[in-house]
Amino acid sequence: MTASLVDPFARAISYLRVSVTDRCDFRCMYCMSENMTFLPKKELLTLEELDRLCSTFIRLGVQKLRITGGEPLVRRNIMSFFQAMSRHLESEALNELTLTTNGSQLNRFANDLACAGVKRINVSLDTLDEEKFADITRWGRLPQVLKGIEAAQRHGIHIKINAVALKNFSEEELPRITQWCAQSGMDLTWIEVMPMGDIGNEQRLEQYWSLNDVRTIYEQNYTVTDLIERTGGPARYIRLEETGQKIGFITPLSHNFCESCNRVRLTCTGELYMCLGQEDMADLRAPLRRFTDTDIPLETTIREAIARKPKGHDFDYSRQRLDGQVSRHMSHTGG
């Protein structure tokens, strides 16, 4: 039962993204509605159950563990979970422990995260304009986020900024964010908005900005070199020769990135999604709670799920129609 996880397309599954909560202290307009109904806390896996699940995946060959939400750092006692996972870094069973965050709580937890072995963090940030930041996040405060980023950098954590490309919004933000990242020693990745959760099809189409257009803007202002580098995620990279910085593109719409997919996603309620853009999932909470003295049924359920991992997703914004939409919000599956 210790053989590595390999899907039907011979892709080894080495990357697990784990949502520890569906709650968030922001309400980003492309991610969720303003008046969200969150899961009852009793439905969430305990931190001990999350430990057992993650440890099982690590035993089966997962080498990279990314903690997500919602906003992962708003979960109560979450640092105890990071501290528990650090034992897998110490044993070298796990190569990397990291997280994606909105940055609101980084000032509080940067030191604890560094002590737990977190060396890289992705921070979601779409604008450096305080008023526009408040508008797009609805509840967020930019100075709080910037203070958290500075705290993480002081503790030796490398920051990568994730910016969602939004039509009629990001065009003005692109040069400023790019220059700021270059000056601050941070990488930058642009992400196409994905059709997840019901915020209205018309609004989704109005938000979508192809990263082909983003690349064109860079080519008009910089010398652009394609990089062959891969980090185990869906991004493709370029280098801006004038600044030396690396820019990533995550393009689920304009260029499907599924052919090399090595990841699965675990929700805070124990649902395992083999593909971000498909509805099929496996319930891991049932065997986790039913069998407390053995992990064999849990491992069997995981393997059966990996055997159903599809070749790719069906996201499509072509023909001014929204195809391949999934009903759950990104905060449910994990950002």
Side-chain angles (χ1 to χ4, degrees):
M1 294 296 290
T2 58
S4 298
L5 300 172
V6 179
D7 77 1
F9 304 94
R11 298 173 296 196
I13 306 305
S14 59
Y15 182 3
L16 177 66
R17 301 177 65 106
V18 182
S19 172
V20 295
T21 180
D22 67 327
R23 297 172 185 267
C24 187
D25 50 351
F26 291 178
R27 296 291 184 274
C28 294
M29 58 185 294
Y30 51 79
C31 181
M32 61 178 74
S33 17
E34 185 169 5
N35 300 308
M36 286 289 292
T37 300
F38 293 112
L39 295 167
K41 292 184 179 180
K42 64 181 180 180
E43 292 189 19
L44 303 186
L45 297 177
T46 67
L47 295 178
E48 291 76 17
E49 288 173 328
L50 285 167
D51 183 329
R52 184 180 166 202
L53 271 174
C54 291
S55 297
T56 300
F57 274 97
I58 292 168
R59 187 167 63 250
L60 296 177
V62 162
Q63 297 176 329
K64 179 176 180 178
L65 187 63
R66 179 175 295 279
I67 309 306
T68 71
E71 170 47 48
L73 297 182
V74 301
R75 174 142 187 188
R76 187 176 181 183
N77 297 326
I78 190 60
M79 283 305 114
S80 66
F81 175 72
F82 278 96
Q83 291 159 5
M85 288 297 98
S86 68
R87 72 184 187 274
H88 296 300
L89 292 172
E90 294 170 359
S91 71
E92 298 185 350
L94 189 64
N95 290 341
E96 184 173 29
L97 173 64
T98 185
L99 78 151
T100 294
T101 173
N102 63 27
S104 67
Q105 306 302 312
L106 271 182
N107 190 51
R108 293 175 57 201
F109 295 123
N111 180 59
D112 291 338
L113 289 167
C115 290
V118 174
K119 299 183 183 303
R120 296 193 307 126
I121 291 176
N122 290 355
V123 177
S124 301
L125 179 65
D126 304 311
T127 176
L128 293 170
D129 182 289
E130 191 168 345
E131 184 175 342
K132 292 174 74 172
F133 184 88
D135 287 342
I136 198 169
T137 63
R138 295 190 178 106
W139 294 8
R141 297 184 298 277
L142 180 61
Q144 181 180 352
V145 172
L146 297 181
K147 188 176 181 180
I149 290 172
E150 292 169 0
Q153 289 183 310
R154 283 199 308 272
H155 287 91
I157 298 175
H158 180 74
I159 299 293
K160 178 169 73 71
I161 299 299
N162 285 344
V164 174
L166 299 169
K167 196 171 187 178
N168 300 321
F169 180 91
S170 301
E171 293 92 334
E172 292 183 355
E173 305 309 312
L174 185 151
R176 186 177 179 187
I177 287 182
T178 301
Q179 292 169 11
W180 174 65
C181 287
Q183 293 166 358
S184 305
M186 298 183 292
D187 293 327
L188 170 64
T189 291
W190 291 96
I191 305 172
E192 289 177 337
V193 66
M194 302 182 202
M196 299 190 68
D198 182 14
I199 67 168
N201 287 1
E202 183 178 348
Q203 186 173 343
R204 286 292 189 205
L205 287 168
E206 291 174 353
Q207 290 177 344
Y208 172 61
W209 189 33
S210 170
L211 293 195
N212 290 332
D213 296 337
V214 174
R215 181 187 174 109
T216 297
I217 292 174
Y218 280 125
E219 290 174 339
Q220 291 170 347
N221 293 278
Y222 296 92
T223 304
V224 172
T225 301
D226 287 301
L227 302 178
I228 61 172
E229 176 181 351
R230 298 291 182 268
T231 62
R236 300 296 183 267
Y237 296 96
I238 61 173
R239 183 174 60 246
L240 306 184
E241 297 299 341
E242 286 77 4
T243 64
Q245 72 191 115
K246 184 172 67 175
I247 305 290
F249 298 105
I250 296 180
T251 54
L253 283 302
S254 62
H255 176 72
N256 185 299
F257 51 68
C258 303
E259 67 276 0
S260 59
C261 182
N262 65 344
R263 69 204 68 84
V264 290
R265 296 170 182 259
L266 180 67
T267 74
C268 53
T269 56
E271 297 172 332
L272 181 68
Y273 284 90
M274 291 69 77
C275 175
L276 177 64
Q278 301 284 0
E279 298 283 13
D280 186 32
M281 64 86 178
D283 177 13
L284 301 187
R285 185 171 62 181
L288 180 74
R289 292 183 172 174
R290 182 179 178 186
F291 301 96
T292 58
D293 58 347
T294 175
D295 288 334
I296 292 178
L298 177 61
E299 292 185 8
T300 298
T301 305
I302 291 171
R303 292 187 184 280
E304 290 173 349
I306 300 304
R308 303 200 308 270
K309 183 171 170 63
K311 188 174 183 179
H313 61 68
D314 301 316
F315 292 153
D316 185 11
Y317 285 169
S318 62
R319 302 174 301 280
Q320 293 302 300
R321 187 176 77 234
L322 189 79
D323 292 336
Q325 182 175 14
V326 294
S327 60
R328 64 189 185 279
H329 285 87
M330 178 68 87
S331 61
H332 176 77
T333 313

